Amino acid sequence: MNIYTEIVAAKKKGQKLLAVLIDPEKMKIGEVHSFIKLVNASVATHIFVGGSTDVDHQIEHIVTEIKKYTILPVILFPGDFSQVTTKADGVLFLSLISGRNSEYLITQQIAAVPKLKKSSLEVIPTGYLLIDGGIETSVQRTSNTNPLPQKDLTQILHTALAGEYMGNKLIYLEAGSGANIPVSPAIINALSNELNDPLLVGGGIRTIGQLNQAYEAGADMVVIGTAFEQNTAFFNELKKEITNENIR
Ligand code: 1GP
């Protein structure tokens, strides 16, 4: 499986992708099977696993359990290097380029190398931008960086383009898990017009309307966690009502 090649191919065809985010701190091992059954029956195309923290080091167990029940690509979305496990298919190798904390620009990346070297994980360099989602989110707290205000469109655009010029293969706009305000369609639109990289958008997307808005504005992949955690019926609602026929 080449995860990145498939994302690029979907973008070329205009197919939209949906990642379900599983936070290892919020899911118990015993809940994984039934949750993954719902994911498999839904329109989701990818599973992301990770969180700002994983105090009990559950991620490897959770990923191993997920892999038993699905053929969807399982991609790590790590809050720090300790969340890298060889049991997944790939890893978003994140650089928090909206921030100025060297810990999340290079230190954590170096710390991840010993595990990555020994693994067959597909490593996908990803420029990660934290955008103000209206509340202080855990990614903001943990990373100790300030989000970019949504009104600073030029700064957001230039940061994303710098991320692309630096060689990142994906650009990820993050309003933060549980954000009040998702990344605006205007920002998504401006970036998708200028970037070559596939564009991922997540944080605070809870409704079919918001999901469709993000796709229509140019998001190639939307990442949703909280809405599925809080209401598993959302999987079915999406299936019935999603207007975007291009989603797999
Ligand atoms: C993925 O952090 C988000 O980018 C997930 O956000 O939990 O608000 O869906 P939600």
mmCIF file of all heavy atoms in Angstrom, residues 83-131:
data_model
loop_
_atom_site.group_PDB
_atom_site.id
_atom_site.type_symbol
_atom_site.label_atom_id
_atom_site.label_comp_id
_atom_site.label_asym_id
_atom_site.label_seq_id
_atom_site.Cartn_x
_atom_site.Cartn_y
_atom_site.Cartn_z
ATOM 1 N N GLN A 83 4.417 8.277 20.547
ATOM 2 C CA GLN A 83 3.220 7.686 19.933
ATOM 3 C C GLN A 83 3.529 6.969 18.613
ATOM 4 O O GLN A 83 2.621 6.506 17.931
ATOM 5 C CB GLN A 83 2.144 8.758 19.722
ATOM 6 C CG GLN A 83 1.579 9.281 21.030
ATOM 7 C CD GLN A 83 0.480 10.312 20.834
ATOM 8 O OE1 GLN A 83 -0.277 10.277 19.871
ATOM 9 N NE2 GLN A 83 0.404 11.256 21.749
ATOM 10 N N VAL A 84 4.790 6.916 18.239
ATOM 11 C CA VAL A 84 5.139 6.194 17.015
ATOM 12 C C VAL A 84 5.173 4.700 17.320
ATOM 13 O O VAL A 84 5.900 4.253 18.195
ATOM 14 C CB VAL A 84 6.503 6.659 16.455
ATOM 15 C CG1 VAL A 84 6.929 5.784 15.273
ATOM 16 C CG2 VAL A 84 6.434 8.121 16.046
ATOM 17 N N THR A 85 4.338 3.960 16.619
ATOM 18 C CA THR A 85 4.343 2.497 16.759
ATOM 19 C C THR A 85 4.441 1.865 15.376
ATOM 20 O O THR A 85 3.818 2.355 14.420
ATOM 21 C CB THR A 85 3.077 1.964 17.480
ATOM 22 O OG1 THR A 85 2.894 0.597 17.128
ATOM 23 C CG2 THR A 85 1.824 2.718 17.109
ATOM 24 N N THR A 86 5.215 0.801 15.313
ATOM 25 C CA THR A 86 5.451 0.149 14.021
ATOM 26 C C THR A 86 4.227 -0.623 13.540
ATOM 27 O O THR A 86 4.226 -1.156 12.443
ATOM 28 C CB THR A 86 6.643 -0.813 14.150
ATOM 29 O OG1 THR A 86 6.331 -1.751 15.182
ATOM 30 C CG2 THR A 86 7.913 -0.064 14.540
ATOM 31 N N LYS A 87 3.205 -0.716 14.375
ATOM 32 C CA LYS A 87 2.028 -1.531 14.025
ATOM 33 C C LYS A 87 1.097 -0.857 13.005
ATOM 34 O O LYS A 87 0.217 -1.498 12.447
ATOM 35 C CB LYS A 87 1.192 -1.846 15.270
ATOM 36 C CG LYS A 87 1.975 -2.402 16.418
ATOM 37 C CD LYS A 87 2.404 -3.818 16.158
ATOM 38 C CE LYS A 87 3.147 -4.387 17.360
ATOM 39 N NZ LYS A 87 4.029 -5.460 17.052
ATOM 40 N N ALA A 88 1.283 0.452 12.797
ATOM 41 C CA ALA A 88 0.414 1.168 11.848
ATOM 42 C C ALA A 88 0.954 1.025 10.433
ATOM 43 O O ALA A 88 1.994 0.390 10.206
ATOM 44 C CB ALA A 88 0.328 2.629 12.259
ATOM 45 N N ASP A 89 0.227 1.605 9.457
ATOM 46 C CA ASP A 89 0.687 1.553 8.064
ATOM 47 C C ASP A 89 1.555 2.759 7.716
ATOM 48 O O ASP A 89 2.433 2.679 6.869
ATOM 49 C CB ASP A 89 -0.530 1.531 7.118
ATOM 50 C CG ASP A 89 -1.400 0.322 7.364
ATOM 51 O OD1 ASP A 89 -0.871 -0.811 7.346
ATOM 52 O OD2 ASP A 89 -2.614 0.500 7.613
ATOM 53 N N GLY A 90 1.261 3.880 8.315
ATOM 54 C CA GLY A 90 1.997 5.092 7.964
ATOM 55 C C GLY A 90 1.968 6.079 9.111
ATOM 56 O O GLY A 90 1.296 5.853 10.132
ATOM 57 N N VAL A 91 2.722 7.149 8.933
ATOM 58 C CA VAL A 91 2.758 8.180 9.974
ATOM 59 C C VAL A 91 2.816 9.550 9.312
ATOM 60 O O VAL A 91 3.563 9.753 8.350
ATOM 61 C CB VAL A 91 3.948 7.969 10.940
ATOM 62 C CG1 VAL A 91 5.280 7.898 10.205
ATOM 63 C CG2 VAL A 91 4.015 9.055 12.017
ATOM 64 N N LEU A 92 1.990 10.455 9.813
ATOM 65 C CA LEU A 92 2.131 11.846 9.395
ATOM 66 C C LEU A 92 3.337 12.382 10.160
ATOM 67 O O LEU A 92 3.313 12.456 11.393
ATOM 68 C CB LEU A 92 0.878 12.662 9.731
ATOM 69 C CG LEU A 92 -0.428 12.235 9.077
ATOM 70 C CD1 LEU A 92 -1.546 13.230 9.419
ATOM 71 C CD2 LEU A 92 -0.296 12.123 7.556
ATOM 72 N N PHE A 93 4.397 12.711 9.423
ATOM 73 C CA PHE A 93 5.615 13.227 10.061
ATOM 74 C C PHE A 93 5.447 14.739 10.134
ATOM 75 O O PHE A 93 5.737 15.470 9.196
ATOM 76 C CB PHE A 93 6.830 12.803 9.229
ATOM 77 C CG PHE A 93 8.120 12.818 10.008
ATOM 78 C CD1 PHE A 93 8.292 12.005 11.122
ATOM 79 C CD2 PHE A 93 9.167 13.643 9.621
ATOM 80 C CE1 PHE A 93 9.484 12.018 11.840
ATOM 81 C CE2 PHE A 93 10.354 13.657 10.326
ATOM 82 C CZ PHE A 93 10.520 12.842 11.443
ATOM 83 N N LEU A 94 4.906 15.159 11.285
ATOM 84 C CA LEU A 94 4.380 16.522 11.403
ATOM 85 C C LEU A 94 5.464 17.534 11.751
ATOM 86 O O LEU A 94 6.295 17.283 12.622
ATOM 87 C CB LEU A 94 3.322 16.565 12.515
ATOM 88 C CG LEU A 94 2.110 15.647 12.380
ATOM 89 C CD1 LEU A 94 1.332 15.611 13.706
ATOM 90 C CD2 LEU A 94 1.186 16.135 11.261
ATOM 91 N N SER A 95 5.407 18.696 11.096
ATOM 92 C CA SER A 95 6.167 19.866 11.560
ATOM 93 C C SER A 95 5.140 20.935 11.870
ATOM 94 O O SER A 95 4.353 21.321 10.988
ATOM 95 C CB SER A 95 7.075 20.431 10.478
ATOM 96 O OG SER A 95 7.882 19.448 9.952
ATOM 97 N N LEU A 96 5.148 21.412 13.094
ATOM 98 C CA LEU A 96 4.166 22.424 13.511
ATOM 99 C C LEU A 96 4.676 23.803 13.060
ATOM 100 O O LEU A 96 5.241 24.566 13.830
ATOM 101 C CB LEU A 96 3.958 22.356 15.019
ATOM 102 C CG LEU A 96 2.942 23.313 15.643
ATOM 103 C CD1 LEU A 96 1.580 23.197 14.975
ATOM 104 C CD2 LEU A 96 2.812 23.054 17.132
ATOM 105 N N ILE A 97 4.445 24.084 11.767
ATOM 106 C CA ILE A 97 5.086 25.262 11.160
ATOM 107 C C ILE A 97 4.369 26.573 11.466
ATOM 108 O O ILE A 97 4.904 27.638 11.184
ATOM 109 C CB ILE A 97 5.272 25.084 9.623
ATOM 110 C CG1 ILE A 97 3.941 24.748 8.940
ATOM 111 C CG2 ILE A 97 6.316 24.011 9.338
ATOM 112 C CD1 ILE A 97 4.055 24.646 7.424
ATOM 113 N N SER A 98 3.177 26.483 12.058
ATOM 114 C CA SER A 98 2.528 27.738 12.494
ATOM 115 C C SER A 98 3.165 28.236 13.788
ATOM 116 O O SER A 98 2.989 29.389 14.165
ATOM 117 C CB SER A 98 1.033 27.510 12.731
ATOM 118 O OG SER A 98 0.859 26.460 13.669
ATOM 119 N N GLY A 99 3.873 27.371 14.502
ATOM 120 C CA GLY A 99 4.442 27.729 15.805
ATOM 121 C C GLY A 99 5.929 28.003 15.724
ATOM 122 O O GLY A 99 6.560 27.818 14.684
ATOM 123 N N ARG A 100 6.475 28.424 16.836
ATOM 124 C CA ARG A 100 7.899 28.741 16.888
ATOM 125 C C ARG A 100 8.564 27.967 18.023
ATOM 126 O O ARG A 100 9.514 28.429 18.619
ATOM 127 C CB ARG A 100 8.102 30.265 17.087
ATOM 128 C CG ARG A 100 7.523 31.112 15.974
ATOM 129 C CD ARG A 100 8.246 30.872 14.622
ATOM 130 N NE ARG A 100 7.604 31.619 13.535
ATOM 131 C CZ ARG A 100 6.673 31.124 12.734
ATOM 132 N NH1 ARG A 100 6.246 29.859 12.877
ATOM 133 N NH2 ARG A 100 6.143 31.862 11.772
ATOM 134 N N ASN A 101 8.029 26.786 18.288
ATOM 135 C CA ASN A 101 8.572 25.950 19.343
ATOM 136 C C ASN A 101 9.442 24.864 18.690
ATOM 137 O O ASN A 101 8.924 23.962 18.032
ATOM 138 C CB ASN A 101 7.428 25.332 20.154
ATOM 139 C CG ASN A 101 7.937 24.544 21.345
ATOM 140 O OD1 ASN A 101 9.136 24.302 21.459
ATOM 141 N ND2 ASN A 101 7.026 24.144 22.218
ATOM 142 N N SER A 102 10.758 24.970 18.884
ATOM 143 C CA SER A 102 11.685 24.053 18.196
ATOM 144 C C SER A 102 11.413 22.585 18.558
ATOM 145 O O SER A 102 11.704 21.682 17.788
ATOM 146 C CB SER A 102 13.137 24.409 18.514
ATOM 147 O OG SER A 102 13.337 24.377 19.911
ATOM 148 N N GLU A 103 10.801 22.376 19.722
ATOM 149 C CA GLU A 103 10.440 21.018 20.143
ATOM 150 C C GLU A 103 9.597 20.307 19.068
ATOM 151 O O GLU A 103 9.781 19.121 18.804
ATOM 152 C CB GLU A 103 9.627 21.121 21.449
ATOM 153 C CG GLU A 103 9.258 19.811 22.078
ATOM 154 C CD GLU A 103 10.443 19.070 22.694
ATOM 155 O OE1 GLU A 103 11.430 19.721 23.084
ATOM 156 O OE2 GLU A 103 10.366 17.832 22.740
ATOM 157 N N TYR A 104 8.642 21.065 18.470
ATOM 158 C CA TYR A 104 7.715 20.464 17.492
ATOM 159 C C TYR A 104 8.107 20.793 16.047
ATOM 160 O O TYR A 104 7.392 20.471 15.122
ATOM 161 C CB TYR A 104 6.272 20.895 17.803
ATOM 162 C CG TYR A 104 5.857 20.321 19.137
ATOM 163 C CD1 TYR A 104 5.963 21.076 20.308
ATOM 164 C CD2 TYR A 104 5.460 18.997 19.239
ATOM 165 C CE1 TYR A 104 5.641 20.534 21.544
ATOM 166 C CE2 TYR A 104 5.139 18.440 20.469
ATOM 167 C CZ TYR A 104 5.229 19.214 21.619
ATOM 168 O OH TYR A 104 4.929 18.656 22.833
ATOM 169 N N LEU A 105 9.267 21.458 15.909
ATOM 170 C CA LEU A 105 9.782 21.717 14.561
ATOM 171 C C LEU A 105 10.892 20.728 14.209
ATOM 172 O O LEU A 105 11.049 20.372 13.039
ATOM 173 C CB LEU A 105 10.312 23.157 14.465
ATOM 174 C CG LEU A 105 9.222 24.231 14.434
ATOM 175 C CD1 LEU A 105 9.800 25.617 14.739
ATOM 176 C CD2 LEU A 105 8.514 24.241 13.082
ATOM 177 N N ILE A 106 11.653 20.278 15.218
ATOM 178 C CA ILE A 106 12.743 19.356 14.918
ATOM 179 C C ILE A 106 13.057 18.357 16.043
ATOM 180 O O ILE A 106 13.420 17.224 15.757
ATOM 181 C CB ILE A 106 14.019 20.144 14.469
ATOM 182 C CG1 ILE A 106 15.129 19.200 13.996
ATOM 183 C CG2 ILE A 106 14.531 21.069 15.600
ATOM 184 C CD1 ILE A 106 14.853 18.415 12.758
ATOM 185 N N THR A 107 12.896 18.762 17.316
ATOM 186 C CA THR A 107 13.359 17.887 18.409
ATOM 187 C C THR A 107 12.597 16.558 18.438
ATOM 188 O O THR A 107 13.190 15.473 18.500
ATOM 189 C CB THR A 107 13.214 18.615 19.761
ATOM 190 O OG1 THR A 107 13.849 19.888 19.646
ATOM 191 C CG2 THR A 107 13.845 17.832 20.896
ATOM 192 N N GLN A 108 11.272 16.633 18.410
ATOM 193 C CA GLN A 108 10.460 15.411 18.430
ATOM 194 C C GLN A 108 10.715 14.547 17.190
ATOM 195 O O GLN A 108 10.695 13.319 17.273
ATOM 196 C CB GLN A 108 8.966 15.788 18.496
ATOM 197 C CG GLN A 108 8.537 16.341 19.838
ATOM 198 C CD GLN A 108 8.499 15.256 20.907
ATOM 199 O OE1 GLN A 108 8.243 14.092 20.641
ATOM 200 N NE2 GLN A 108 8.766 15.665 22.139
ATOM 201 N N GLN A 109 10.970 15.203 16.072
ATOM 202 C CA GLN A 109 11.213 14.472 14.821
ATOM 203 C C GLN A 109 12.487 13.635 14.937
ATOM 204 O O GLN A 109 12.538 12.471 14.514
ATOM 205 C CB GLN A 109 11.331 15.458 13.637
ATOM 206 C CG GLN A 109 10.028 16.132 13.237
ATOM 207 C CD GLN A 109 9.613 17.287 14.134
ATOM 208 O OE1 GLN A 109 10.167 17.548 15.199
ATOM 209 N NE2 GLN A 109 8.596 18.005 13.696
ATOM 210 N N ILE A 110 13.526 14.220 15.536
ATOM 211 C CA ILE A 110 14.784 13.482 15.709
ATOM 212 C C ILE A 110 14.560 12.307 16.677
ATOM 213 O O ILE A 110 15.035 11.189 16.436
ATOM 214 C CB ILE A 110 15.902 14.416 16.217
ATOM 215 C CG1 ILE A 110 16.223 15.472 15.145
ATOM 216 C CG2 ILE A 110 17.155 13.615 16.585
ATOM 217 C CD1 ILE A 110 17.147 16.583 15.626
ATOM 218 N N ALA A 111 13.801 12.568 17.711
ATOM 219 C CA ALA A 111 13.548 11.514 18.705
ATOM 220 C C ALA A 111 12.785 10.332 18.096
ATOM 221 O O ALA A 111 12.876 9.197 18.591
ATOM 222 C CB ALA A 111 12.778 12.097 19.894
ATOM 223 N N ALA A 112 12.049 10.585 17.033
ATOM 224 C CA ALA A 112 11.257 9.510 16.407
ATOM 225 C C ALA A 112 12.098 8.616 15.505
ATOM 226 O O ALA A 112 11.682 7.508 15.142
ATOM 227 C CB ALA A 112 10.111 10.124 15.588
ATOM 228 N N VAL A 113 13.289 9.080 15.135
ATOM 229 C CA VAL A 113 14.081 8.379 14.119
ATOM 230 C C VAL A 113 14.435 6.929 14.481
ATOM 231 O O VAL A 113 14.242 6.034 13.641
ATOM 232 C CB VAL A 113 15.341 9.198 13.742
ATOM 233 C CG1 VAL A 113 16.341 8.355 12.957
ATOM 234 C CG2 VAL A 113 14.924 10.420 12.933
ATOM 235 N N PRO A 114 14.912 6.634 15.674
ATOM 236 C CA PRO A 114 15.300 5.239 15.942
ATOM 237 C C PRO A 114 14.172 4.245 15.641
ATOM 238 O O PRO A 114 14.406 3.191 15.043
ATOM 239 C CB PRO A 114 15.659 5.252 17.436
ATOM 240 C CG PRO A 114 16.096 6.666 17.682
ATOM 241 C CD PRO A 114 15.236 7.523 16.801
ATOM 242 N N LYS A 115 12.956 4.599 16.016
ATOM 243 C CA LYS A 115 11.830 3.695 15.749
ATOM 244 C C LYS A 115 11.505 3.658 14.250
ATOM 245 O O LYS A 115 11.255 2.596 13.685
ATOM 246 C CB LYS A 115 10.611 4.159 16.531
ATOM 247 C CG LYS A 115 10.008 3.050 17.343
ATOM 248 C CD LYS A 115 8.766 3.475 18.026
ATOM 249 C CE LYS A 115 8.715 2.934 19.433
ATOM 250 N NZ LYS A 115 7.660 3.566 20.205
ATOM 251 N N LEU A 116 11.513 4.825 13.628
ATOM 252 C CA LEU A 116 11.156 4.882 12.208
ATOM 253 C C LEU A 116 12.151 4.097 11.357
ATOM 254 O O LEU A 116 11.765 3.429 10.394
ATOM 255 C CB LEU A 116 11.089 6.341 11.727
ATOM 256 C CG LEU A 116 9.959 7.168 12.334
ATOM 257 C CD1 LEU A 116 10.046 8.616 11.880
ATOM 258 C CD2 LEU A 116 8.594 6.581 11.970
ATOM 259 N N LYS A 117 13.421 4.191 11.711
ATOM 260 C CA LYS A 117 14.466 3.494 10.941
ATOM 261 C C LYS A 117 14.234 2.001 10.889
ATOM 262 O O LYS A 117 14.532 1.330 9.923
ATOM 263 C CB LYS A 117 15.831 3.736 11.608
ATOM 264 C CG LYS A 117 16.629 4.852 10.972
ATOM 265 C CD LYS A 117 17.986 4.989 11.642
ATOM 266 C CE LYS A 117 18.856 3.807 11.312
ATOM 267 N NZ LYS A 117 20.252 3.984 11.695
ATOM 268 N N LYS A 118 13.690 1.486 11.979
ATOM 269 C CA LYS A 118 13.509 0.027 12.075
ATOM 270 C C LYS A 118 12.149 -0.430 11.556
ATOM 271 O O LYS A 118 11.848 -1.604 11.553
ATOM 272 C CB LYS A 118 13.649 -0.403 13.541
ATOM 273 C CG LYS A 118 15.095 -0.503 13.983
ATOM 274 C CD LYS A 118 15.196 -1.197 15.336
ATOM 275 C CE LYS A 118 15.453 -0.191 16.415
ATOM 276 N NZ LYS A 118 15.054 -0.434 17.733
ATOM 277 N N SER A 119 11.329 0.523 11.166
ATOM 278 C CA SER A 119 9.949 0.153 10.820
ATOM 279 C C SER A 119 9.735 0.184 9.313
ATOM 280 O O SER A 119 10.552 0.707 8.559
ATOM 281 C CB SER A 119 8.973 1.137 11.470
ATOM 282 O OG SER A 119 8.896 2.315 10.690
ATOM 283 N N SER A 120 8.582 -0.357 8.908
ATOM 284 C CA SER A 120 8.232 -0.230 7.495
ATOM 285 C C SER A 120 7.109 0.790 7.339
ATOM 286 O O SER A 120 6.391 0.792 6.342
ATOM 287 C CB SER A 120 7.820 -1.592 6.944
ATOM 288 O OG SER A 120 6.775 -2.106 7.739
ATOM 289 N N LEU A 121 6.943 1.639 8.330
ATOM 290 C CA LEU A 121 5.915 2.671 8.257
ATOM 291 C C LEU A 121 6.172 3.598 7.068
ATOM 292 O O LEU A 121 7.324 3.981 6.834
ATOM 293 C CB LEU A 121 5.955 3.549 9.520
ATOM 294 C CG LEU A 121 5.394 2.997 10.812
ATOM 295 C CD1 LEU A 121 5.791 3.917 11.968
ATOM 296 C CD2 LEU A 121 3.881 2.901 10.716
ATOM 297 N N GLU A 122 5.115 3.974 6.376
ATOM 298 C CA GLU A 122 5.264 4.993 5.340
ATOM 299 C C GLU A 122 5.300 6.361 6.031
ATOM 300 O O GLU A 122 4.356 6.729 6.727
ATOM 301 C CB GLU A 122 4.094 4.913 4.347
ATOM 302 C CG GLU A 122 4.255 5.918 3.215
ATOM 303 C CD GLU A 122 3.143 5.833 2.175
ATOM 304 O OE1 GLU A 122 2.512 4.755 2.021
ATOM 305 O OE2 GLU A 122 2.899 6.860 1.514
ATOM 306 N N VAL A 123 6.389 7.076 5.838
ATOM 307 C CA VAL A 123 6.569 8.365 6.518
ATOM 308 C C VAL A 123 6.139 9.475 5.562
ATOM 309 O O VAL A 123 6.683 9.606 4.471
ATOM 310 C CB VAL A 123 8.045 8.537 6.937
ATOM 311 C CG1 VAL A 123 8.257 9.901 7.587
ATOM 312 C CG2 VAL A 123 8.465 7.421 7.884
ATOM 313 N N ILE A 124 5.141 10.241 5.991
ATOM 314 C CA ILE A 124 4.597 11.266 5.095
ATOM 315 C C ILE A 124 4.845 12.658 5.704
ATOM 316 O O ILE A 124 4.187 13.048 6.669
ATOM 317 C CB ILE A 124 3.077 11.045 4.873
ATOM 318 C CG1 ILE A 124 2.806 9.599 4.451
ATOM 319 C CG2 ILE A 124 2.544 12.025 3.826
ATOM 320 C CD1 ILE A 124 1.328 9.223 4.405
ATOM 321 N N PRO A 125 5.808 13.411 5.159
ATOM 322 C CA PRO A 125 6.118 14.735 5.701
ATOM 323 C C PRO A 125 4.911 15.663 5.563
ATOM 324 O O PRO A 125 4.346 15.813 4.473
ATOM 325 C CB PRO A 125 7.269 15.235 4.827
ATOM 326 C CG PRO A 125 7.739 14.059 4.039
ATOM 327 C CD PRO A 125 6.609 13.091 3.980
ATOM 328 N N THR A 126 4.523 16.259 6.676
ATOM 329 C CA THR A 126 3.274 17.022 6.713
ATOM 330 C C THR A 126 3.483 18.372 7.403
ATOM 331 O O THR A 126 3.894 18.426 8.561
ATOM 332 C CB THR A 126 2.196 16.211 7.479
ATOM 333 O OG1 THR A 126 2.020 14.944 6.839
ATOM 334 C CG2 THR A 126 0.859 16.944 7.519
ATOM 335 N N GLY A 127 3.217 19.436 6.693
ATOM 336 C CA GLY A 127 3.257 20.777 7.284
ATOM 337 C C GLY A 127 1.955 21.000 8.045
ATOM 338 O O GLY A 127 0.860 20.926 7.468
ATOM 339 N N TYR A 128 2.084 21.224 9.353
ATOM 340 C CA TYR A 128 0.906 21.242 10.240
ATOM 341 C C TYR A 128 0.707 22.670 10.747
ATOM 342 O O TYR A 128 1.600 23.247 11.368
ATOM 343 C CB TYR A 128 1.203 20.277 11.388
ATOM 344 C CG TYR A 128 0.084 19.947 12.331
ATOM 345 C CD1 TYR A 128 -1.152 19.518 11.870
ATOM 346 C CD2 TYR A 128 0.296 20.004 13.707
ATOM 347 C CE1 TYR A 128 -2.159 19.171 12.766
ATOM 348 C CE2 TYR A 128 -0.700 19.653 14.609
ATOM 349 C CZ TYR A 128 -1.927 19.239 14.123
ATOM 350 O OH TYR A 128 -2.921 18.878 15.005
ATOM 351 N N LEU A 129 -0.454 23.234 10.461
ATOM 352 C CA LEU A 129 -0.742 24.625 10.839
ATOM 353 C C LEU A 129 -1.886 24.652 11.834
ATOM 354 O O LEU A 129 -3.000 24.176 11.524
ATOM 355 C CB LEU A 129 -1.166 25.462 9.615
ATOM 356 C CG LEU A 129 -0.091 25.965 8.656
ATOM 357 C CD1 LEU A 129 0.448 24.822 7.811
ATOM 358 C CD2 LEU A 129 -0.673 27.046 7.751
ATOM 359 N N LEU A 130 -1.614 25.212 12.990
ATOM 360 C CA LEU A 130 -2.674 25.377 13.987
ATOM 361 C C LEU A 130 -3.347 26.732 13.756
ATOM 362 O O LEU A 130 -2.696 27.774 13.754
ATOM 363 C CB LEU A 130 -2.058 25.290 15.389
ATOM 364 C CG LEU A 130 -3.029 25.405 16.560
ATOM 365 C CD1 LEU A 130 -4.102 24.324 16.495
ATOM 366 C CD2 LEU A 130 -2.265 25.298 17.885
ATOM 367 N N ILE A 131 -4.663 26.658 13.539
ATOM 368 C CA ILE A 131 -5.459 27.852 13.221
ATOM 369 C C ILE A 131 -6.411 28.081 14.394
ATOM 370 O O ILE A 131 -6.966 27.116 14.935
ATOM 371 C CB ILE A 131 -6.285 27.616 11.922
ATOM 372 C CG1 ILE A 131 -5.402 27.096 10.776
ATOM 373 C CG2 ILE A 131 -7.061 28.863 11.518
ATOM 374 C CD1 ILE A 131 -4.407 28.043 10.210
#
